[in-house]
Amino acid sequence: MAINRKPTQANVKVSSNVESFIEQGGSVPKKAKKDKMKDIQYTQLRLTAEEVELIDKAREGRRPKPSRHAWILEAIYDKVDKETLK
């Protein structure tokens, strides 16, 4: 296998477009815009295995079956509606 010397500036031809692009430099990426996710507050919910099984059984009867998260949110909204409509 032949080994070549490292190319020097004299024997390397670079197009002017590439050189002008490199000379422009770059910038630091901008931070993403804040969206509605900033308003979300995370809450930890502790359930026993039996409670999770009850929720899963209730979800089974629905088509399409909602995720556990969606089912719990729906239950919360139902409860809030009942409590606030008194």
Side-chain angles (χ1 to χ4, degrees):
M1 174 165 86
I3 298 176
N4 294 334
R5 292 182 178 243
K6 182 177 176 182
T8 62
Q9 190 66 20
N11 62 7
V12 175
K13 294 182 181 178
V14 179
S15 73
S16 61
N17 289 340
V18 172
E19 286 181 11
S20 65
F21 177 75
I22 293 171
E23 288 174 3
Q24 288 177 1
S27 62
V28 178
K30 295 179 181 178
K31 291 184 179 182
K33 292 181 180 179
K34 294 185 179 184
D35 55 10
K36 295 179 182 179
M37 295 297 289
K38 70 177 182 177
D39 295 333
I40 292 179
Q41 294 182 3
Y42 292 93
T43 303
Q44 186 176 35
L45 178 64
R46 293 180 184 89
L47 300 171
T48 65
E50 295 162 354
E51 292 166 335
V52 172
E53 286 178 23
L54 287 173
I55 291 170
D56 289 343
K57 285 180 186 176
R59 291 172 46 232
E60 288 293 327
R62 304 265 302 269
R63 295 288 180 244
K65 184 169 107 175
S67 67
R68 196 177 289 151
H69 174 81
W71 190 92
I72 291 170
L73 278 179
E74 185 178 322
I76 291 170
Y77 291 138
D78 287 347
K79 179 68 175 177
V80 168
D81 286 346
K82 288 177 186 176
E83 295 290 322
T84 57
L85 294 177
K86 285 186 175 181

